[in-house]
Amino acid sequence: MAKYTRGTVTAFAPFDARADAETLRKAMKGMGTDEETVLTVLTTRNNAQRQEIASAFKTLFGRDLVDDLKSELTGKFETLMVSLMRPAYIFDAHALKHAIKGAGTNEKVLTEILASRTPAEVQNIKQVYQQEYEADLEDKITGETSGHFQRLLVVLLQANRDPDVGVDEALVEQDAQVLFRAGELKWGTDEEKFITILGTRSVSHLRRVFDKYMTISGFQIEETIDRETSGDLEKLLLAVVKCIRSVPAYFAETLYYSMKGAGTDDDTLIRVMVSRSEIDLLDIRREFRKNFAKSLYQMIQKDTSGDYRKALLLLCGGDDD
């Protein structure tokens, strides 16, 4: 797995799991809860440390920390704190399970996770899913999706994207021409060509293909996808292209649209803030500032309230103005 060092949450030092467990117990014991203490502890320890705190909590008090958080907290704040307590390795598998469980499928979650994770991360998600839920992730997803959207998800689930080892300019030219003929030059669209090329070629190769495509067609690849496809397939193809160009820019946009306009998509806001807090949230913040003329910190401050806001701002790790 890649070593990420661009997160806003890092290991807390000096760290004492037992002391933190005692602090949390005291904050939740008796009448009323000291939410400020809970959020301060949980947003300033990294995930591995939170797992140690949960273990110490059970050892000292015979109680489950997550159960206590669920009984003492409410609403979006509770969701955020419980999400922080989920072991990092299981976070994506859990999100995918809930996206395909029950009536209706949450295509947005499938798109966000499978378009943005590295092949190594996808392999890990599949293994964890099998271990935790005794089910095959691909089977579950194919049971809940259909058409070209399903096919691209299956391609991404194979986690067989070509490794980044040099770029063959002749193949770049060929792929760009194939995409041009499959979309702009064709009556109707050959979606399969888009699925195969965007789902399997290496990141550095595809970045060159996008440049070459622009030269050949006069369009950005995103414009063509927008015109030639629709619905869930269009959203997934665009997410793949954006992640090939820049994963932090993709998440900056995801966060922006989770808060823009009336109402907030809190599920997306929580999922992205928690899942990227130890990976690349500093890079996401930089892209946010660059692309939306305001900082992520300011937008969270304006769009949320109460302890939920305090916790999100601590995860955000500072302002960029």
Side-chain angles (χ1 to χ4, degrees):
M1 294 289 281
K3 280 313 265 179
Y4 297 107
T5 54
R6 300 286 300 155
T8 53
V9 176
T10 53
F12 184 84
F15 173 62
D16 182 339
R18 288 173 77 94
D20 284 347
E22 283 167 355
T23 300
L24 288 171
R25 176 71 183 126
K26 193 171 154 202
M28 291 189 283
K29 196 174 165 185
M31 288 294 288
T33 302
D34 176 359
E35 286 89 353
E36 185 102 24
T37 296
V38 172
L39 71 87
T40 304
V41 171
L42 296 185
T43 58
T44 54
R45 291 1 175 217
N46 69 10
N47 194 280
Q49 290 175 327
R50 289 181 215 125
Q51 303 315 316
E52 285 187 52
I53 294 167
S55 174
F57 197 87
K58 194 164 270 184
T59 300
L60 292 171
F61 311 113
R63 303 173 69 91
D64 186 289
L65 177 53
V66 172
D67 288 347
D68 277 13
L69 290 169
K70 285 178 175 172
S71 70
E72 294 295 327
L73 310 176
T74 57
K76 296 172 288 200
F77 180 53
E78 176 199 333
T79 306
L80 176 56
M81 292 299 107
V82 170
S83 296
L84 285 169
M85 289 307 303
R86 196 158 285 124
Y89 74 91
I90 204 177
F91 195 90
D92 287 340
H94 179 271
L96 289 169
K97 178 164 173 45
H98 281 263
I100 45 187
K101 174 178 146 186
T105 304
N106 189 336
E107 290 83 4
K108 181 193 272 186
V109 175
L110 300 185
T111 295
E112 179 197 301
I113 292 176
L114 293 175
S116 65
R117 300 323 191 238
T118 64
E121 286 167 340
V122 173
Q123 291 289 12
N124 182 53
I125 290 165
K126 291 197 297 187
Q127 283 167 359
V128 170
Y129 198 95
Q130 184 69 55
Q131 285 158 8
E132 293 292 319
Y133 307 119
E134 294 178 351
D136 182 83
L137 178 58
E138 189 181 316
D139 289 348
K140 289 290 180 190
I141 286 177
T142 51
E144 297 293 333
T145 56
S146 60
H148 290 106
F149 175 61
Q150 179 200 80
R151 285 179 207 157
L152 180 50
L153 287 172
V154 170
V155 168
L156 295 172
L157 278 166
Q158 302 319 298
N160 276 335
R161 191 174 288 289
D162 297 336
D164 266 318
V165 282
V167 173
D168 175 348
E169 290 299 331
L171 185 59
V172 166
E173 172 82 35
Q174 184 187 313
D175 279 351
Q177 293 285 359
V178 166
L179 289 172
F180 187 42
R181 287 197 296 272
E184 298 289 350
L185 285 187
K186 192 173 171 20
W187 180 251
T189 310
D190 185 350
E191 290 92 351
E192 211 150 89
K193 297 279 194 293
F194 280 84
I195 288 169
T196 301
I197 291 172
L198 294 178
T200 62
R201 300 287 197 245
S202 76
V203 170
S204 46
H205 173 86
L206 283 171
R207 285 176 183 161
R208 291 284 302 115
V209 169
F210 300 160
D211 292 343
K212 180 64 74 176
Y213 185 87
M214 179 73 188
T215 310
I216 294 169
S217 69
F219 299 115
Q220 293 286 10
I221 188 80
E222 290 93 333
E223 296 175 78
T224 296
I225 290 169
D226 201 28
R227 264 197 302 276
E228 298 289 330
T229 61
S230 62
D232 293 325
L233 174 67
E234 179 191 350
K235 289 180 189 137
L236 181 55
L237 284 168
L238 286 173
V240 169
V241 169
K242 286 168 185 172
C243 289
I244 293 294
R245 291 194 189 276
S246 163
V247 170
Y250 169 72
F251 280 117
E253 186 181 307
T254 303
L255 285 168
Y256 178 74
Y257 285 106
S258 76
M259 293 181 278
K260 186 179 183 286
T264 304
D265 177 355
D266 292 292
D267 287 342
T268 297
L269 179 55
I270 290 168
R271 190 174 56 253
V272 176
M273 292 296 288
V274 172
S275 66
R276 308 313 289 188
S277 61
E278 292 180 44
I279 296 177
D280 55 1
L281 195 48
L282 290 170
D283 295 325
I284 293 167
R285 270 172 39 183
R286 191 181 61 221
E287 292 293 332
F288 198 101
R289 187 77 195 81
K290 191 171 85 187
N291 297 333
F292 302 111
K294 64 178 74 169
S295 70
L296 176 59
Y297 192 92
Q298 287 164 351
M299 198 152 180
I300 290 170
Q301 203 162 27
K302 190 173 115 308
D303 223 69
T304 58
S305 61
D307 295 314
Y308 176 54
R309 171 166 63 191
K310 283 182 201 163
L312 284 171
L313 291 175
L314 281 169
L315 283 180
C316 186
D319 202 346
D320 295 296
D321 259 16

